Amino acid sequence: MPHSDITPGPASRPAISSFMWLAAGTAAIGGFLYGYDTGIISGALLSISAEYNLTHGMQEVVAASILLGATIGGVGAGAFSDRFGRRRTVIAIAALFAVAAVAASLAPSALLLALARVALGIAVGACSQSIPAYVAELAPAARRGMLVLMFSVAIGLGIVTASLVGYGLHGVLSWRWMVAVAAAPAAVLFVAMFALPESPRWLIARGRPDEAARALARVRMPGADLRTELEAVAETVRRSRESRTRGWRGLAQPWVRPAVIAGCGTAAFTQLVGIEMMIYYTPTLLKGVGFAETSALQVNVGIAAIYLVMTALGLAIVDRVGRRRLALVTLPGAALSLAVLGTLFALGKTGPGDAPYVIACLFLFMVFQAGGLQVIGWLTGSEVYPLSVRAAGTSAQAGTVWGSNLLLTGTALSLIHHIGAGGAMWVYAGLNALAFLFIWRFLPELSGRSLEAVEDALRRGRFRPSDFARTPAASSPNGWPPSSRAARPRSASSR
């Protein structure tokens, strides 16, 4: 692995093969299911609450139950993925998505609905851990951001679809049909994954280099330098086997700790900034401050549409702009939008004449959040962890996401109930400001660097944002300058 005082140079941007696009797009169906199954509760909750006569506390239980399952699935998926492979894990997740969606749609009581949503959440959490890692291990380094973020765009598409279904079918079809329809794309994902390759990195780690070469050849352009890429992966695998840094215990090692802080901290803030509260509770929130039910559902559709558009825009620019820079540019706007919204709520400015300002604040918050921090959340988790602890790291990342989401969703309505909608928005505005400070302090710029190069930076203790600012990605296949490829990181085998 290279060791370098990196010299500037533009990152190469190799062409993406059609099969690589197909693999990333197919895996992204899991992102659609994530978005739909979590987002459908926003429109369906009004009908569910009426059918079961739910208190605001029980509404939180029904909404947040999927997040409890997601926390379990996110933490547990890594071990399953390491043992059985990335592809088989996604196949199992697709089957669980289908079964759990049908079970939720048939639930005869609110409690059984919540339990079914826990099972559905296990699939959501496992999907959020496994699919970005699977795509990241297939993708070429310089185009990894775009390909992994197809998952995030699919989440946005799922949320938009859920909001349109919730609005268009509200009062027309039962909420049960809204929930059950998710079984169809789950079945498509289940079948399609059988045609995709296993992760070359996982195959090499299992001592199957010939299969790894064939798998990599399927997702690269003809004439690509497969040998160099496979050698880099094999070297990383060799070092991970010799290393004492493995699994969950490995995450506590001093040289891995910066990755854990950057990855899990970013993951926590993607939820704590309040975006999921907007996705789940916007109709309930707006109805509570005086909006008509139909108007609240229409605003919800607009929020979902903005989420999709901005996530797609983020996908298009993240490899050029950079992960860190994108978050730092957008977070101040998100914080300001919520601060103004909180002021409108606190002053009671929610009447018909004030509605455009309320809606504008909601939409602007979504523009800045969905186009910034949300873009990099899952991407960061797929990039920062060394191979020997990658399954544990991505599991910790997913568990942090869903645990934070559970905390937020399980307390949002109670927070609004106790301190008012205005006070709640100010709390979330403050959390957006804290997210800015965290990204500025702890998250380096990873654009254009291979997974092996990121691991090398960790091993050499050069994972601070300032280190990466002085060492832009070069045109080497591993993200470091060709001139220093012969050197090795110090003490690599002993760590």
Side-chain angles (χ1 to χ4, degrees):
M1 291 296 294
H3 171 64
S4 140
D5 296 322
I6 313 163
T7 56
S12 62
R13 297 182 60 80
I16 302 175
S17 71
S18 57
F19 194 81
M20 183 67 243
W21 280 116
L22 177 64
T26 299
I29 296 174
F32 176 88
L33 290 164
Y34 163 164
Y36 186 89
D37 286 324
T38 56
I40 193 61
I41 197 64
S42 181
L45 189 58
L46 296 174
S47 299
I48 293 170
S49 298
E51 179 173 332
Y52 295 129
N53 194 27
L54 301 181
T55 65
H56 77 267
M58 195 60 192
Q59 289 178 44
E60 286 178 334
V61 169
V62 171
S65 57
I66 196 171
L67 306 177
L68 174 61
T71 305
I72 297 169
V75 171
F80 191 97
S81 177
D82 252 5
R83 180 171 182 179
F84 297 104
R86 313 321 191 208
R87 186 175 68 102
R88 290 179 183 175
T89 299
V90 178
I91 290 171
I93 290 167
L96 182 56
F97 263 126
V99 172
V102 173
S105 71
L106 298 175
S109 68
L111 179 59
L112 290 177
L113 172 61
L115 291 175
R117 282 174 59 78
V118 170
L120 193 60
I122 292 174
V124 169
C127 148
S128 69
Q129 186 274 346
S130 301
I131 289 180
Y134 171 68
V135 176
E137 292 187 355
L138 286 177
R143 308 302 292 273
R144 186 175 62 242
M146 174 181 290
L147 291 166
V148 172
L149 286 178
M150 289 179 68
F151 177 78
S152 296
V153 173
I155 294 172
L157 183 59
I159 292 171
V160 168
T161 304
S163 64
L164 287 171
V165 168
Y167 171 67
L169 299 183
H170 181 68
V172 178
L173 287 180
S174 168
W175 61 267
R176 298 178 186 276
W177 284 105
M178 301 181 193
V179 173
V181 73
V188 173
L189 177 62
F190 178 83
V191 173
M193 283 301 300
F194 284 95
L196 298 186
E198 181 53 84
S199 159
R201 286 172 171 83
W202 185 83
L203 289 169
I204 288 177
R206 289 297 177 274
R208 295 151 66 179
D210 292 340
E211 292 179 57
R214 289 194 294 270
L216 189 64
R218 293 181 69 188
V219 295
R220 293 292 182 269
M221 295 292 291
D225 185 4
L226 303 183
R227 180 178 177 180
T228 298
E229 187 169 355
L230 288 168
E231 286 177 350
V233 173
E235 171 65 11
T236 302
V237 169
R238 182 193 66 78
R239 286 197 294 163
S240 71
R241 285 175 176 166
E242 295 175 355
S243 174
R244 295 190 298 270
T245 306
R246 302 184 65 84
W248 285 93
R249 290 184 179 181
L251 296 179
Q253 292 294 314
W255 71 275
V256 179
R257 199 173 299 145
V260 177
I261 293 172
C264 290
T266 301
F269 276 114
T270 62
Q271 309 305 304
L272 296 177
V273 291
I275 192 167
E276 298 298 336
M277 182 272 297
M278 296 297 186
I279 291 171
Y280 299 152
Y281 292 133
T282 288
T284 303
L285 172 66
L286 293 181
K287 189 177 177 183
V289 298
F291 277 61
E293 188 170 286
T294 300
S295 298
L297 288 170
Q298 288 173 340
V299 173
N300 192 53
V301 172
I303 284 176
I306 291 171
Y307 186 103
L308 173 61
V309 171
M310 294 308 300
T311 305
L313 178 61
L315 178 149
I317 67 174
V318 68
D319 282 327
R320 295 181 176 87
V321 174
R323 288 86 159 119
R324 183 173 186 266
R325 182 184 300 174
L326 190 61
L328 292 178
V329 167
T330 53
L331 276 167
L336 181 60
S337 300
L338 285 184
V340 174
L341 180 62
T343 302
L344 291 172
F345 284 158
L347 296 177
K349 301 291 187 180
T350 57
D354 302 304
Y357 303 108
V358 172
I359 295 170
C361 288
L362 286 169
F363 284 3
L364 282 172
F365 169 72
M366 214 65 186
V367 165
F368 289 119
Q369 261 298 326
L373 184 61
Q374 303 306 312
V375 168
I376 72 168
W378 295 119
L379 179 57
T380 300
S382 70
E383 294 180 325
V384 296
Y385 299 107
L387 180 63
S388 60
V389 297
R390 187 165 297 151
T394 54
S395 290
Q397 180 105 358
T400 301
V401 167
W402 294 113
S404 303
N405 197 338
L406 176 61
L407 174 65
L408 181 85
T409 307
T411 60
L413 295 182
S414 296
L415 184 66
I416 292 169
H417 179 74
H418 286 99
I419 68 173
M425 295 307 106
W426 288 335
V427 169
Y428 298 135
L431 287 167
N432 276 265
L434 287 176
F436 176 90
L437 295 175
F438 179 88
I439 297 295
W440 178 77
R441 175 65 179 84
F442 293 107
L443 182 65
E445 183 55 69
L446 304 179
S447 296
R449 291 180 169 87
S450 72
L451 302 181
E452 288 70 41
V454 173
E455 177 170 341
D456 186 59
L458 283 165
R459 288 181 179 276
R460 293 186 288 111
R462 296 181 57 193
F463 198 73
R464 295 169 299 182
S466 58
D467 294 329
F468 279 64
R470 293 192 298 267
T471 57
S475 57
S476 164
N478 288 327
W480 304 104
S483 60
S484 60
R485 287 175 56 82
R488 294 290 183 94
R490 293 186 298 272
S491 304
S493 62
S494 64
R495 291 181 174 177

